[in-house]
Amino acid sequence: MVDRDKARRDRMFDSLVVGGGPAGLVAATYLGRFRRRVVVVDAGQSRANWIPLTRNCPGFPRGITGPDLLHRLKLQATRHGADWVCDTVVGIRIAENGFLAQASSPIHARSLLIATGVVDSLPDVPGTADMIKAGALRLCPICDGYEVIDKRVAVIGPAEHAMKKALFMRTFTRDVTLLIADAAQPSPDDVLRLKRAGIEFGACARDAISAEGRRAVVELVDGRTLSFDTIYPAMGSIIRSRLATDLGAECDRAGNLVVDSHQRTAVPGLYAAGDVVDEINQLAVAFGHAAVAASDMHNYLAKGEGSTDCRLKTPRSDSPTRTACPALTLRYRQSQTIGLLPYVSLSDPAASREQFRQTVPQAGIRPDKAELASRSPASWLFCSHWPKGCGGKAAIPTLTTSSCWR
């Protein structure tokens, strides 16, 4: 029997993704498709699990549940080579050549993506999960405010924060009530804004909500009982950024991890994506973060390997002098790599042509059918005849810069 824990313990991964939510799984798919050795460690606590049905996720016009979306994303990631581990990372430290994560068994990786998300603060009442499933309690007005058009809606939470969300809900319905769950009261200016927006308000306790069928009922401090189609909590959230901040990453006052335009933190090799970053908490945003982060992680790893194409095993000649030189990687559209050609200079066309004709047979291309063409500021190599089985003359190659030894 294979000891999988021992195999992971003895293996160096290119990338570790902590968090198996939308951001983490999409990043794993990208990294797998970059042919990276990537492992996702997930504790099964993704916020997306709470989604009863969303029609706001791109590509699913009829909607999709959160668990179904996560299942599809996990399937896609593992099909492209990502390892998936159901476990909890309790700590991470910087180690030789990367990071060492503490879980049931240690995991060593050269780069790290934190996609741990947030935990919503919810009313402390029985049956919260059932209320969310029924739609009586909703978490994201941007995601599903469209679903409550013209319905009776309430927003519960501290006055300042809840008022902003209540005003936003006027986008979808005229029947909005603000339920103030702290001692603070709206200022005179805020009261005027609420009245102009047609929003009623009243005070209640945080745990004054109960379910009544598919509706939510609230008992106010003044003794009144109100019934709503949906209640949105505006009680804040706990941002799971500790693993990154313990490594030296920066966070803002709210606890969101601070990243640059490539999702990089202040720690080399450490990235963050999804709700743990200060952005609107949306599936589409998480997908975008993941694509950006994974692409930059791949490039970061390649720099450490001394090549922009780390998957290509570059041959070395028998020349005693080994100097780094740029090269061209020749690929067909179906991503079949057929060889490396030198990156030729136009300063001496005759020498460049001769160099080209000497090396082009390594790629299986007939030298008598090869041409040299140029476009400033560099040169590209074009051939009019390709090896059999690669699409004939119609198989136009794509040329990408790489590096090699000569």
Side-chain angles (χ1 to χ4, degrees):
M1 179 180 292
V2 178
D3 186 343
R4 295 185 181 274
D5 286 344
K6 184 178 186 303
R8 279 195 297 273
R9 186 167 56 247
D10 296 340
R11 183 181 184 186
M12 167 70 86
F13 288 94
D14 289 323
S15 302
L16 164 62
V17 177
V18 183
L25 291 172
V26 170
T29 295
Y30 271 73
L31 289 163
R33 289 174 61 84
F34 288 142
R35 303 177 67 187
R36 290 294 178 185
R37 298 180 298 275
V38 56
V39 58
V40 179
V41 180
D42 179 47
Q45 298 174 0
S46 172
R47 191 186 193 208
N49 274 315
W50 288 102
I51 301 174
L53 183 73
T54 177
R55 298 180 179 86
N56 199 45
C57 182
F60 296 94
R62 294 185 178 180
I64 185 170
T65 69
D68 187 16
L69 177 64
L70 291 174
H71 172 74
R72 292 170 182 242
L73 292 175
K74 177 184 172 184
L75 183 62
Q76 187 175 21
T78 53
R79 280 187 175 178
H80 287 95
D83 284 359
W84 186 87
V85 180
C86 181
D87 204 345
T88 300
V89 174
V90 296
I92 305 173
R93 64 179 177 87
I94 295 175
E96 184 179 1
N97 298 323
F99 303 89
L100 185 63
Q102 300 170 359
S104 296
S105 60
I107 300 175
H108 198 180
R110 296 166 56 211
S111 63
L112 172 64
L113 174 66
I114 299 295
T116 42
V118 302
V119 179
D120 293 286
S121 297
L122 300 174
D124 186 16
V125 297
T128 299
D130 291 334
M131 292 179 70
I132 292 175
K133 186 176 181 180
L137 202 64
R138 294 178 180 268
L139 305 182
C140 178
I142 296 177
C143 305
D144 54 25
Y146 187 88
E147 314 301 332
V148 297
I149 288 178
D150 295 334
K151 292 186 177 181
R152 184 165 170 77
V153 174
V155 178
I156 184 172
E160 183 179 0
H161 186 54
M163 189 184 77
K164 296 176 182 178
K165 188 173 285 190
L167 290 168
F168 178 80
M169 289 308 301
R170 284 291 282 109
T171 304
F172 306 104
T173 178
R174 295 179 179 180
D175 196 342
V176 180
T177 300
L178 171 62
L179 302 174
I180 302 172
D182 65 352
Q185 291 296 314
S187 67
D189 288 342
D190 290 339
V191 171
L192 183 59
R193 291 180 63 191
L194 291 169
K195 287 184 176 180
R196 286 176 176 173
I199 298 175
E200 297 183 1
F201 64 93
C204 71
R206 288 173 60 100
D207 58 356
I209 300 175
S210 60
E212 189 176 86
R214 299 185 66 86
R215 295 174 66 84
V217 176
V218 179
E219 184 177 347
L220 302 185
V221 173
D222 62 13
R224 289 183 296 158
T225 299
L226 304 179
S227 177
F228 301 95
D229 295 302
T230 290
I231 295 180
Y232 282 92
M235 299 176 173
S237 59
I238 300 170
I239 302 168
R240 293 170 169 159
S241 55
R242 182 188 60 81
L243 290 175
T245 56
D246 284 351
L247 290 169
E250 299 176 2
C251 62
D252 60 20
R253 291 184 179 181
N256 301 291
L257 290 176
V258 176
V259 296
D260 65 10
S261 59
H262 298 280
Q263 303 303 127
R264 297 178 291 209
T265 70
V267 180
L270 174 61
Y271 295 74
D275 292 352
V276 75
V277 177
D278 184 19
E279 296 283 352
I280 59 172
N281 298 337
Q282 293 288 289
L283 293 170
V285 173
F287 295 161
H289 283 181
V292 172
S295 298
D296 201 80
M297 290 171 76
H298 171 64
N299 292 333
Y300 168 82
L301 292 166
K303 288 178 182 178
E305 294 159 345
S307 170
T308 57
D309 188 354
C310 63
R311 303 294 101 187
L312 187 62
K313 302 299 182 182
T314 307
R316 297 187 177 185
S317 69
D318 295 331
S319 171
T321 304
R322 290 180 175 177
T323 57
C325 71
L328 290 177
T329 305
L330 219 61
R331 285 195 180 97
Y332 290 108
R333 279 178 176 164
Q334 52 267 55
S335 300
Q336 180 181 359
T337 301
I338 60 172
L340 285 173
L341 302 181
Y343 191 63
V344 294
S345 170
L346 292 181
S347 59
D348 188 349
S352 294
R353 184 176 295 278
E354 181 60 26
Q355 184 184 32
F356 171 54
R357 291 186 180 281
Q358 288 178 2
T359 56
V360 73
Q362 297 177 11
I365 301 171
R366 287 170 49 184
D368 59 318
K369 294 293 184 180
E371 322 179 338
L372 179 64
S374 67
R375 182 183 298 173
S376 182
S379 302
W380 279 263
L381 305 177
F382 295 90
C383 299
S384 58
H385 180 81
W386 312 105
K388 292 181 179 180
C390 294
K393 295 182 180 180
I396 303 172
T398 57
L399 304 177
T400 57
T401 304
S402 182
S403 63
C404 69
W405 292 90
R406 55 176 303 195

